[in-house]
Amino acid sequence: MSVDQRAGAGRGDGRLPDGRHGPGRGLTARDYMTEQRPTWCPGCGDFGILAALREALLQEGIAPHEAVVVSGIGCGSKLPDYMRVNGFMTLHGRPLPVATGFRLANPAMRVIVVDGDGDAYGIGGNHWLHTCRRNPGLVHLVENNQIYALTKGQYSPTTEQGTRTTTSPEGSIERPVNPIRTALAAGATFVARGFAGEPKELARLIREALHHRGYALLDILQPCITYNKVNTYDWYAERIVRLESEGHDPSDFDAAWARAGEFGERIPVGVFYRTEEVPAYEERVPGLKRGPVVERPLDDLDEAAFEALERELV
Amino acid sequence: MRDQDVSLVIGGDAGQGVESSGAGFSSALARAGYHIFSIADYRSRIRGGHNFYQIRAATRPVASHLDPPALLLALTAESVELHLESLAPDAAVLYDSSFRLDAGAVERSGRLAVPVPMNEIAMRHGSKVMMNTAALAAAASLLRFPLQRMEAVIRQNFARKGERVVEGNLAVARETYEQVRRSPAAARFRYRLPGLPGQPERMLLHGNHAFCLGAVAAGCRFVAAYPMTPATTILEWMTAHAEPLGIVTKHAEDELAAICMAIGAGFAGARALCSTSGGGFSLMTEALGLAGMTETPVVVVDVQRGGPSTGLPTRTEQADLLFVLHASQGDFPRFVLAPGDHVEAFETAMRAFNLAEKYQTPVVVLSDQFLASSLRTLDFGRLRRDAVPVERGKTRRPGEPPLPGERGPGGGQEDGPAAGRDGYLRFAFTPDGISPRVLPGDPEAVYGAPSDEHDEAGHITEEIDNRKRMMEKRMRKLETALAAGEMRGPRRVGPAEAEVTLLAWGSMLGPASEALVLLEREGVRANLLHWCDLWPFAGEAAERELRRVRRGVVVEQNYSGQFRRFLRMTTGYEAEGLVRRYDGRPLEPGEIARGVLKEVGAGVR
Amino acid sequence: MTDAAGGIDRAELYRHVRRAAALGSDQEAASVVRAVLRSLGQVLPRESRALLEGRLPGELSAEMERFAPPEPDPLLDRELFLGRLTNGLQTEGLYDQTLGGLDLVSSHVDEDAIRQIRAVFGALQAGLPPETRGRLAAELPPEVADWWRDPA
């Protein structure tokens, strides 16, 4: 088995199977490949997310050096190690603030956060809530497998109530977080849900997120083939309904709120809510009016300006 | 001209504007040509409780507050009770005539009681709020400080509140000033601050100001913090200047976010700062290791306050030393610097950013409430930007020419892993431990930086040999820094040969330096070794100096004698004595001198 | 396995898969067959699906259409193809007394899954003209096509 195949790439020589290339920049799927072999379990939903992200960047013409993928800690947070892109694999729960810092220092680069349900909705929950209302230009892909897989099977913030795991042998007591509604309530300006089992559709959603002005949350239903025997590929596939084909209007907050309440027999996927009316955080930061701070020379404070600072202290 | 060195105290309730009165008077005295050193002693509460502000004005530069004060400006009757005993024997006590106070007790203690109807004058001109103005004018009058200097400060401070407020305060000041000038007590008061003509204009700044100036001089472009006393003014000053200077500042949702944002910005290539106090630093420890592991430059300033836990939020302590030296799990290189005074705070900020980028690792600056909040005068030209030119080491921006050793097999090591398609190894094994760093965004150098152990290319691995070599590579940066002479040994103050040597670090530089003069008066020849650079520790330089110490007394602001232990740990040197304070109040020169005499006892001379 | 009209007999199909993939029962074989058909449904174009569905018992051809998108998903690779099979295999071991959690035994479950897939492919290909086999191979994701070409 070749590395490329293992890594869930497109087919053949790295070109996309239907002969498509990145629009106009000479990019091919191969540009996003590395030699690294994922350590994910065979059939892991993360493969679908990896394939979708590469496809989305390719289709958007975003070259590997123009993006940075900031991840947390968990199976899926190893993703930036498995594709050719700038990567920063940070701490459990902390990729959002790291990514925000990066974005504010260099808004010329595309910043994508990849983490899991434990990272985003659990240990990093505070950052998540504040990121929603802050609205920095980040695309946030949450690999939501409803379990802690890297620590081998404990319940997560999205685990369904009553699930037996090693830390809930009698069944988990807490009700799961509803990430869509929580994000809506916290003021997120782009809230969507995708499914790792349909990477083409997922890639389309990531592209939409990349087009969004501010913070874009994409909660991704991700089967964990090893530790989650309930929320399987087929379990999701049977329940998925498409907001788009059901005539949902993503500009309608109340409709989004109503649809976000569905998670059971029907699980809506697609864009729940989107508004481009709210400027991205970095658009309003006074210190960025002169452009990305990383691009300015470090010694651009001239003698007169420094003396003026001193004179304020007289 | 006679040498003058006068300390005065303004005491009152929290919520009575003690801080702004003190700062205003400090500013007036500084503009009149005096050298100033002021500290505020305030409680965490916004209202209620006793606060005081101590100003020292002198005809020569001063490096510390100094007891005993010659004048107490009492805004409450309680402040008289609290401060009377600590005043100079011939001090004056200024208070409001309406206070129910035993003036006889003041007089019996030898001090001069100066009741002034400050409240009444203030009320007559409109509002009780102006009582502070009356008090300052009374103090000025007693000290023979020119009225017009007070008027200038009043105009400046109240300008924003409108002409009516300015005029009201001016009227209050004039009337009080005149009344005190004609009072019989004024004639008996021997301390004078008539102004020093012909002095140059000076800055009057806090330690935090000095640090901020150093940071912007060094090209700091990103500040993230969560407000925490006594570090808050760093974030505020930077934010106030963010737009003209082109600096991004972010008041984060918590300290974990603050340091992570700074690390993200540092990774992107901005010179990034995170300011906090001990409690916030505790929250940041995991991320400190992230910076160490991913070799990301970041500067964290810990403005220490009294701990543990919430502790003494507005007071000073130097009890984070051993914590900061060891904070976060695992071994990784870090720098720890503890500036001694305002000038050193400025310079240390500049050095910190250079060290962070040259050695690609976190730098912690240990300040404290005493240094951060003490206000002192500095001559223009004392903050020398050229003392520390910007150096980024093996760092380049996208598009700049490749760095030496950036390309090639294994980043210079033939048996390293394949460099991947980019031919760039972000974490290349190098003899000095520092790998050439290309900032993200370069088409020829796409790479990842994991918090997991990784290989030279930045891929996660737990392979044995790689782990050993990568750990050695990272830690080698400390040896490189020491060999390059980055780390300074102790600064010696006073004579080369001395009977007693004070050993101090961080903000104790000023008080300990001034204690030498007091010891000299007691006939004890003393000197001081002061450390700013604590890690990596310049052991040889320290040992060279310590060998000459006859009797060493450590002076520091914590319970357990952390620096004394640190010296033992790094050099085996065991100090004979320890002068410490852990009640949150800064050690004062006289107290240090007395403590040193007690520690070395009869053995001196 | 096929009747005169080229149709595939369900019982024969299950028996073959059970034998070729060393499964314990026809019931297990049935669920494997259904899973593989669902995966095939997601990666094959409509006409190719029709070629297979025409030969399957009605309920099984419906299985193939169950999650079939309007257009095949070109990003569906071997991992996602076999994911619904590995998800059903034994992947958790006993409690891990050293590290906590459940020891995982999932590293090589793809080998079992591949054997099952090849078994189903073997049954589907019986009586299929070589040109149709070749056409389907060209439409399958790279490694899945290898399994198709090497059925069990």
Side-chain angles (χ1 to χ4, degrees):
Chain A
M1 175 195 330
S2 79
V3 167
D4 287 353
Q5 288 158 349
R6 180 88 193 185
R11 302 177 203 180
D13 61 357
R15 293 174 172 229
L16 288 172
D18 58 2
R20 282 171 296 148
H21 291 258
R25 301 193 56 185
L27 292 165
T28 69
R30 188 168 284 284
D31 287 313
Y32 302 88
M33 309 256 184
T34 63
E35 306 295 312
Q36 287 305 105
R37 188 189 162 101
T39 54
W40 295 325
C41 298
C44 178
D46 284 330
F47 285 101
I49 299 169
L50 176 64
L53 177 57
R54 287 197 295 222
E55 167 76 359
L57 291 177
L58 175 66
Q59 292 302 324
E60 288 300 316
I62 299 168
H65 71 278
E66 294 167 328
V68 60
V69 177
V70 181
S71 68
I73 296 297
C75 296
S77 284
K78 292 180 179 171
L79 183 145
D81 208 17
Y82 303 144
M83 66 182 283
R84 184 169 168 268
V85 69
N86 293 299
F88 197 178
M89 286 150 268
T90 69
L91 300 172
H92 194 42
R94 313 295 159 220
L96 280 174
V98 172
T100 301
F102 191 106
R103 178 76 177 166
L104 295 184
N106 189 0
M109 279 177 71
R110 306 305 295 258
V111 185
I112 297 146
V113 174
V114 175
D115 61 2
D117 41 322
D119 259 308
Y121 309 144
I123 185 170
N126 193 36
H127 306 312
W128 176 48
L129 291 183
H130 291 282
T131 303
C132 286
R133 70 184 179 88
R134 181 173 296 143
N135 203 36
L138 305 176
V139 170
H140 187 189
L141 309 180
V142 181
E143 301 154 313
N144 181 359
N145 59 8
Q146 300 175 256
I147 196 78
Y148 280 88
L150 194 67
T151 47
K152 314 212 300 291
Q154 297 79 26
Y155 67 93
S156 90
T158 50
T159 297
E160 288 183 43
Q161 195 173 21
T163 304
R164 290 173 191 268
T165 72
T166 56
T167 50
S168 59
E170 305 298 322
S172 57
I173 297 168
E174 290 147 335
R175 287 162 297 164
V177 70
N178 178 332
I180 306 296
R181 274 203 170 160
T182 308
L184 287 171
T189 54
F190 181 106
V191 185
R193 181 188 282 138
F195 173 41
E198 30 182 63
K200 183 180 162 193
E201 178 61 14
L202 184 59
R204 194 184 64 79
L205 286 171
I206 296 173
R207 291 182 65 187
E208 287 212 34
L210 283 165
H211 282 273
H212 180 59
R213 191 177 184 186
Y215 169 70
L217 172 69
L218 182 47
D219 178 69
I220 303 171
L221 306 170
Q222 178 230 323
C224 169
I225 65 108
T226 296
Y227 292 110
N228 191 337
K229 302 296 190 187
V230 177
N231 311 110
T232 63
Y233 282 98
D234 286 332
W235 188 90
Y236 287 123
E238 278 159 9
R239 287 163 173 79
I240 277 174
V241 293
R242 291 178 207 289
L243 289 167
E244 207 174 23
S245 55
E246 295 190 339
H248 174 68
D249 172 9
S251 69
D252 182 342
F253 184 90
D254 294 334
W257 182 265
R259 296 304 313 258
E262 296 174 28
F263 194 95
E265 290 311 302
R266 290 162 59 83
I267 301 176
V269 297
V271 180
F272 285 82
Y273 182 66
R274 172 181 206 159
T275 173
E276 302 295 336
E277 312 259 305
V278 184
Y281 186 87
E282 59 272 18
E283 291 176 43
R284 304 184 61 180
V285 172
L288 285 172
K289 286 184 183 164
R290 290 158 66 185
V293 295
V294 292
E295 288 173 9
R296 298 211 328 268
L298 293 179
D299 51 1
D300 70 352
L301 182 68
D302 63 36
E303 206 47 56
F306 183 73
E307 211 184 300
L309 293 174
E310 287 188 315
R311 294 215 71 84
E312 288 175 17
L313 298 165
V314 170
Chain B
M1 177 189 58
R2 224 178 100 235
D3 214 24
Q4 288 165 318
D5 190 345
V6 179
S7 287
L8 55 121
V9 169
I10 304 170
D13 278 343
Q16 260 191 313
V18 170
E19 203 279 341
S20 43
S21 298
F25 204 22
S26 299
S27 165
L29 289 163
R31 287 187 200 183
Y34 291 105
H35 295 272
I36 301 295
F37 194 99
S38 301
I39 54 167
D41 183 298
Y42 53 87
R43 298 199 183 166
S44 182
R45 281 173 286 181
I46 294 298
R47 225 173 151 264
H50 180 72
N51 281 5
F52 71 89
Y53 198 96
Q54 186 162 340
I55 303 170
R56 180 181 178 194
T59 48
R60 58 179 176 81
V62 282
S64 173
H65 59 308
L66 187 70
D67 286 337
L71 174 63
L72 169 65
L73 193 48
L75 300 178
T76 59
E78 185 200 13
S79 18
V80 179
E81 288 161 34
L82 288 170
H83 290 280
L84 186 60
E85 290 310 311
S86 66
L87 300 176
D90 53 355
V93 179
L94 255 171
Y95 59 97
D96 192 83
S97 322
S98 68
F99 291 169
R100 288 168 58 183
L101 195 73
D102 182 4
V106 175
E107 295 285 340
R108 276 193 302 280
S109 78
R111 280 90 178 186
L112 200 58
V114 191
V116 181
M118 301 184 281
N119 191 28
E120 188 244 301
I121 296 172
M123 298 284 269
R124 189 144 35 73
H125 288 279
S127 163
K128 188 180 170 69
V129 170
M130 295 191 290
M131 184 176 145
N132 288 7
T133 300
L136 293 182
S141 183
L142 207 56
L143 289 160
R144 297 291 192 267
F145 185 73
L147 176 63
Q148 58 270 32
R149 295 239 174 237
M150 295 306 290
E151 290 176 338
V153 171
I154 288 168
R155 284 202 180 88
Q156 183 182 318
N157 288 0
F158 294 106
R160 271 189 314 151
K161 298 189 174 175
E163 192 53 29
R164 219 178 124 244
V165 174
V166 171
E167 285 308 322
N169 279 282
L170 286 174
V172 166
R174 287 173 191 139
E175 184 173 339
T176 319
Y177 192 90
E178 194 54 28
Q179 195 160 340
V180 172
R181 195 179 63 82
R182 284 185 278 124
S183 73
R188 289 164 56 201
F189 189 57
R190 76 168 186 87
Y191 296 92
R192 296 276 187 274
L193 288 172
L196 278 181
Q199 291 289 308
E201 241 179 354
R202 298 192 179 95
M203 292 174 259
L204 183 65
L205 74 171
H206 289 122
N208 276 354
H209 282 144
F211 182 86
C212 288
L213 286 171
V216 298
C220 173
R221 293 277 185 273
F222 188 93
V223 187
Y226 186 80
M228 185 169 189
T229 309
T232 309
T233 52
I234 294 177
L235 176 62
E236 289 174 338
W237 190 93
M238 288 294 208
T239 303
H241 295 85
E243 182 166 353
L245 298 181
I247 298 171
V248 174
T249 65
K250 186 74 199 82
H251 164 173
E253 60 269 28
D254 56 35
E255 280 93 348
L256 296 89
I259 189 169
C260 285
M261 286 176 182
I263 289 171
F267 182 73
R271 287 198 153 187
L273 170 70
C274 187
S275 54
T276 188
S277 187
F281 190 82
S282 294
L283 292 176
M284 295 178 181
T285 52
E286 189 191 18
L288 197 71
L290 171 67
M293 185 54 139
T294 58
E295 308 201 35
T296 304
V298 66
V299 175
V300 183
V301 52
D302 170 7
V303 185
Q304 300 163 95
R305 68 190 212 188
S309 191
T310 310
L312 302 168
T314 62
R315 302 193 181 280
T316 199
E317 200 161 78
Q318 293 180 294
D320 294 356
L321 172 61
L322 295 178
F323 167 51
V324 161
L325 283 169
H326 302 111
S328 205
Q329 73 272 25
D331 282 320
F332 62 90
R334 78 188 73 194
F335 290 84
V336 179
L337 309 169
D341 61 13
H342 297 56
V343 174
E344 204 163 63
F346 172 80
E347 196 185 276
T348 300
M350 292 197 291
R351 289 178 63 211
F353 286 100
N354 278 355
L355 290 170
E357 284 204 316
K358 281 167 77 176
Y359 296 92
Q360 303 174 15
T361 207
V363 177
V364 182
V365 176
L366 270 174
S367 175
D368 57 33
Q369 188 270 338
F370 174 58
L371 171 59
S373 317
S374 58
L375 200 57
R376 71 171 290 174
T377 39
L378 274 186
D379 283 324
F380 282 96
R382 284 296 303 283
L383 303 182
R384 293 196 40 212
R385 300 163 72 195
D386 55 359
V388 185
V390 168
E391 295 177 48
R392 308 193 82 176
K394 298 187 212 172
T395 307
R396 75 163 172 90
R397 290 196 173 92
E400 288 177 352
L403 297 159
E406 177 189 310
R407 301 283 141 176
Q413 301 276 322
E414 293 201 350
D415 52 347
R421 358 186 337 183
D422 288 293
Y424 168 62
L425 295 175
R426 166 65 189 96
F427 303 101
F429 297 129
T430 55
D432 62 6
I434 306 165
S435 314
R437 173 172 179 244
V438 183
L439 301 182
D442 191 298
E444 305 295 316
V446 174
Y447 61 91
S451 61
D452 284 81
E453 188 57 277
H454 42 264
D455 64 17
E456 292 181 273
H459 294 303
I460 295 171
T461 176
E462 298 193 355
E463 196 270 319
I464 295 173
D465 185 53
N466 177 80
R467 160 67 174 182
K468 284 160 66 181
R469 293 178 70 184
M470 198 53 83
M471 179 63 89
E472 288 156 8
K473 176 200 106 72
R474 283 190 295 266
M475 296 308 287
R476 200 150 60 229
K477 293 191 282 190
L478 293 179
E479 293 153 34
T480 301
L482 284 172
E486 301 275 13
M487 305 312 288
R488 301 171 182 174
R491 170 210 303 223
R492 193 176 59 234
V493 182
E497 297 298 330
E499 293 169 77
V500 180
T501 298
L502 279 56
L503 306 161
W505 65 283
S507 70
M508 284 297 100
L509 173 64
S513 300
E514 297 225 350
L516 300 180
V517 181
L518 303 178
L519 285 165
E520 190 76 45
R521 279 189 211 152
E522 297 293 319
V524 177
R525 192 173 169 78
N527 64 8
L528 162 69
L529 295 180
H530 175 269
W531 277 266
C532 171
D533 294 9
L534 298 173
W535 202 262
F537 192 61
E540 282 177 32
E543 282 165 27
R544 208 163 39 240
E545 288 292 338
L546 287 169
R547 272 197 290 274
R548 303 170 63 172
V549 173
R550 281 192 230 162
R551 310 190 66 180
V553 179
V554 170
V555 177
E556 60 180 322
Q557 297 252 170
N558 59 64
Y559 177 86
S560 60
Q562 296 191 11
F563 186 66
R564 184 195 211 180
R565 282 201 273 162
F566 173 75
L567 281 182
R568 195 191 307 145
M569 174 180 104
T570 49
T571 65
Y573 175 80
E574 180 70 54
E576 185 179 327
L578 173 65
V579 174
R580 58 185 180 151
R581 190 163 181 172
Y582 45 86
D583 59 3
R585 278 72 176 174
L587 275 163
E588 183 270 338
E591 186 184 7
I592 294 172
R594 288 190 296 278
V596 168
L597 287 174
K598 196 174 155 207
E599 285 293 293
V600 296
V604 182
R605 273 172 289 172
Chain C
M1 200 181 292
T2 54
D3 57 25
I8 298 172
D9 177 73
R10 192 172 56 182
E12 280 289 327
L13 173 61
Y14 292 166
R15 252 196 305 283
H16 171 86
V17 171
R18 177 180 170 182
R19 202 171 48 242
L23 298 171
S25 66
D26 279 2
Q27 208 180 346
E28 267 182 69
S31 105
V32 163
V33 167
R34 285 163 192 272
V36 174
L37 290 175
R38 291 198 286 270
S39 284
L40 278 174
Q42 290 180 296
V43 296
L44 289 177
R46 184 184 303 278
E47 308 76 49
S48 304
R49 292 204 303 275
L51 284 175
L52 289 175
E53 284 165 10
R55 305 171 63 241
L56 288 169
E59 73 192 83
L60 289 184
S61 64
E63 204 67 67
M64 210 164 172
E65 287 302 312
R66 194 147 158 214
F67 304 130
E71 297 290 329
D73 189 334
L75 298 175
L76 262 167
D77 63 354
R78 60 100 71 185
E79 300 294 343
L80 297 175
F81 191 91
L82 56 73
R84 55 167 46 88
L85 287 156
T86 53
N87 211 161
L89 292 169
Q90 194 193 333
T91 50
E92 299 162 303
L94 298 176
Y95 182 70
D96 181 338
Q97 306 203 23
T98 308
L99 296 175
L102 300 176
D103 203 8
L104 75 169
V105 292
S106 60
S107 286
H108 301 293
V109 288
D110 50 343
E111 289 171 23
D112 286 339
I114 292 165
R115 179 154 70 152
Q116 293 170 0
I117 292 165
R118 286 174 55 229
V120 177
F121 284 178
L124 292 179
Q125 284 178 25
L128 208 61
E131 63 272 17
T132 310
R133 270 187 267 171
R135 173 179 168 178
L136 293 183
E139 286 165 350
L140 290 170
E143 208 176 335
V144 179
D146 294 342
W147 307 332
W148 177 260
R149 290 190 197 98
D150 182 24

